Amino acid sequence: MPTTTTPAEEHQERWHTIVDDPLLSELPYKVETNRRGQIVLSPHSAEHSDRQGDLIALLYEHGGEGRARPEFPIITPMGTKVADAIWVTAQRREEMKATGDPPTLAPEICVEIMSESNDWEEMDEKRRLYREAGAEEVWVVEADGSVRFFADDELDHSELAPDFPRQFS
């Protein structure tokens, strides 16, 4: 009897193939997939990594009970997307684990950091995908260090981490 897999399971299987490939693990790029499972590469810069590290430190300072993680993969209908940083509570992480690896359920907060290889069209799509996967908020850090907070609409501040600064360097 043939077995059937869901699109999410197909994306998870494809992701495991990518993660297990020793040649791909050596690439100095952020690796994601599109809806067809094709690899999408984005270059890293030292400035991007610095901003990511600073953001994670601020999440620990202002985020309350939870954990910050860098480069977190999330299965979406449009492939595996990798948030630059996330904030997740222990309860949500357990719920996420139950959906597989990578999870199809997003953490409470997903953060994208704009770089020269991004534009707002891509950010709008990622915001939509993370929200559809269950993220309560999606934050976008612009090139000047300003932070924009989104739920259904843009917020004046994060409702999950209300003291998180709107600007950092």
Side-chain angles (χ1 to χ4, degrees), residues 30-142:
K30 177 178 180 175
V31 177
E32 296 181 310
T33 63
N34 63 19
R35 66 183 174 86
R36 293 183 181 96
Q38 297 165 318
I39 296 172
V40 178
L41 301 175
S42 300
H44 286 287
S45 70
E47 183 178 338
H48 189 272
S49 293
D50 285 344
R51 186 154 283 152
Q52 194 173 23
D54 293 345
L55 176 96
I56 287 171
L58 286 168
L59 278 167
Y60 276 114
E61 184 178 336
H62 299 282
E65 295 295 318
R67 295 193 179 262
R69 296 288 183 256
E71 304 293 327
F72 198 89
I74 302 159
I75 298 294
T76 76
M78 298 302 285
T80 304
K81 303 304 173 198
V82 178
D84 288 317
I86 58 117
W87 183 256
V88 63
T89 61
Q91 178 181 344
R92 175 62 71 92
R93 186 66 185 111
E94 288 305 312
E95 294 169 2
M96 291 166 59
K97 286 179 183 179
T99 70
D101 183 21
T104 59
L105 176 63
E108 289 95 337
I109 299 173
C110 294
V111 185
E112 286 291 334
I113 300 171
M114 295 286 283
S115 63
E116 291 180 16
S117 64
N118 302 123
D119 60 25
W120 272 101
E121 183 178 339
E122 178 184 359
M123 289 299 110
D124 289 342
E125 179 176 343
K126 283 188 170 187
R127 281 187 13 236
R128 179 183 59 79
L129 292 169
Y130 294 150
R131 291 279 292 149
E132 287 174 359
E136 295 175 36
E137 293 183 3
V138 178
W139 303 355
V140 178
V141 179
E142 296 191 85

